[in-house]
Amino acid sequence: MSQPPRSNRGRRERNGEQRDDRWSSPDSSSSRPPYYPREADRPPRHQRDMRQEEHHDSRCTNICSRRGIVLICSVLTNALVLICVVAAQVVMSGMSAMGGMSSFDINSNFNLQGTELQQVRELDMQYSQMRSPGIYCGVAFTLTFGVVSLLFVVAGNKPAYRMSQKLLVGALAFQAVGAVVYVVAVGLYLHFVIKVNSTDVCKRREILYRRNGYTWMNCDVSGGDAAVALFGLITAILYAAGTGLTVQTFRGLKRYLEEKRRRDAEKRQSGGTNQSAPLRAETTSV
């Protein structure tokens, strides 16, 4: 019986060595077999579920919770209050728009001449100066609350159970105080406007404008001032709603922490052999 040629046998041996090299470890200098993690070395399934759950939670999901949406709406209404405060001042300033803070002049829109024109200019300047504390305080007030609300929106990009409790307490206190302060501020603003409109300067100014056909320049509460009050009350309502939602978040966070402590105690008592179901924190995402 004939034997296969030696060259074929050597080729098969070389091919076998190549196959062995293909299945061997990438590190040719080491003779250790490849390491495959055992089931015992893997983290428990509930921990993997929690990691996957945290991975899928995006910042937008946490910011766009009910509590975050209310804060975003309060930022927008603060901006609307700011715009209305400035617009009301510009409209009611007459010929001296913005009470001397701007060089904008609208004399060409009024058919006033001679002594009446000079009187209207003087009365407009006095009236604008009387209203100036309202616009200064209104701008500072709305900017402060708008910026702080925006900071709390940005800081709420985490789930409630991962946020600092001091931050939640600060948000709760800020919204509770904001709801009350905004109502008081709206009342003071309207009281200030009515008081300025009841002065002799406003009455004389109204007579001069009405004599020339400008009946809209009167001493009543203007549409801009009414819009300030309206959006201010809406902002107060939003802060009150945010306070309630933050209280619900605290309750959900308390239940979550109690459940976590209970499961940790059960795990220590059972020696860590039983794997409990993943702990959900859905109630804290209000």
Side-chain angles (χ1 to χ4, degrees):
M1 181 179 293
S2 62
Q3 296 179 353
R6 214 172 167 80
S7 59
N8 294 337
R9 187 187 309 170
R11 190 178 298 113
R12 286 197 301 270
E13 291 175 357
R14 286 193 299 272
N15 292 337
E17 292 174 359
Q18 292 176 359
R19 285 195 300 269
D20 293 338
D21 292 336
R22 193 182 302 121
W23 292 99
S24 62
S25 173
D27 189 5
S28 59
S29 62
S30 176
S31 60
R32 293 184 302 173
Y35 173 75
Y36 298 100
R38 295 177 300 174
E39 187 67 25
D41 296 335
R42 297 180 181 178
R45 184 170 181 177
H46 68 278
Q47 293 184 8
R48 297 198 299 269
D49 293 340
M50 285 296 294
R51 291 175 184 175
Q52 292 177 0
E53 188 176 335
E54 292 177 2
H55 176 72
H56 291 300
D57 285 342
S58 62
R59 293 185 177 182
C60 182
T61 303
N62 298 315
I63 291 177
C64 295
S65 61
R66 288 182 293 174
R67 183 167 47 85
I69 291 174
V70 169
L71 276 174
I72 292 173
C73 292
S74 66
V75 173
L76 297 178
T77 52
N78 273 293
L80 290 174
V81 172
L82 174 62
I83 293 172
C84 291
V85 167
V86 176
Q89 178 71 15
V90 172
V91 170
M92 297 303 296
S93 293
M95 290 188 176
S96 57
M98 296 297 290
M101 291 187 294
S102 173
S103 61
F104 176 68
D105 194 2
I106 55 177
N107 290 348
S108 59
N109 294 332
F110 293 89
N111 298 321
L112 296 173
Q113 296 177 356
T115 57
E116 286 188 347
L117 177 60
Q118 185 63 29
Q119 290 177 1
V120 167
R121 285 179 175 174
E122 292 177 358
L123 293 174
D124 283 342
M125 184 64 67
Q126 294 177 17
Y127 182 78
S128 299
Q129 290 177 354
M130 293 170 65
R131 282 183 61 106
S132 58
I135 185 172
Y136 292 142
C137 296
V139 169
F141 182 82
T142 53
L143 280 178
T144 301
F145 274 85
V147 170
V148 176
S149 300
L150 184 60
L151 291 177
F152 279 115
V153 170
V154 175
N157 60 354
K158 299 177 182 179
Y161 62 92
R162 295 182 59 187
M163 291 175 59
S164 172
Q165 291 194 7
K166 293 181 179 180
L167 183 63
L168 288 174
V169 172
L172 177 63
F174 169 74
Q175 292 178 102
V177 172
V180 177
V181 170
Y182 241 102
V183 174
V184 175
V186 168
L188 291 176
Y189 180 80
L190 290 177
H191 175 73
F192 173 77
V193 169
I194 293 173
K195 183 178 180 181
V196 172
N197 289 347
S198 62
T199 58
D200 183 62
V201 173
C202 183
K203 298 295 183 182
R204 291 164 53 194
R205 179 173 174 265
E206 180 184 4
I207 293 173
L208 287 174
Y209 276 111
R210 182 178 297 174
R211 185 183 302 168
N212 290 272
Y214 305 109
T215 58
W216 55 271
M217 192 71 74
N218 50 43
C219 293
D220 298 331
V221 177
S222 66
D225 296 327
V228 171
L230 175 62
F231 289 119
L233 292 177
I234 293 175
T235 307
I237 293 172
L238 289 173
Y239 280 138
T243 302
L245 291 175
T246 307
V247 170
Q248 290 184 8
T249 302
F250 267 110
R251 292 176 179 174
L253 183 60
K254 183 179 179 181
R255 289 195 299 268
Y256 171 79
L257 295 176
E258 290 177 354
E259 182 71 12
K260 185 178 179 181
R261 286 193 293 267
R262 185 182 65 82
R263 296 203 176 190
D264 290 342
E266 291 179 354
K267 187 177 179 180
R268 286 193 298 269
Q269 291 177 0
S270 61
T273 56
N274 296 329
Q275 294 182 359
S276 58
L279 185 60
R280 302 286 181 180
E282 296 174 354
T283 56
T284 64
S285 61
V286 177

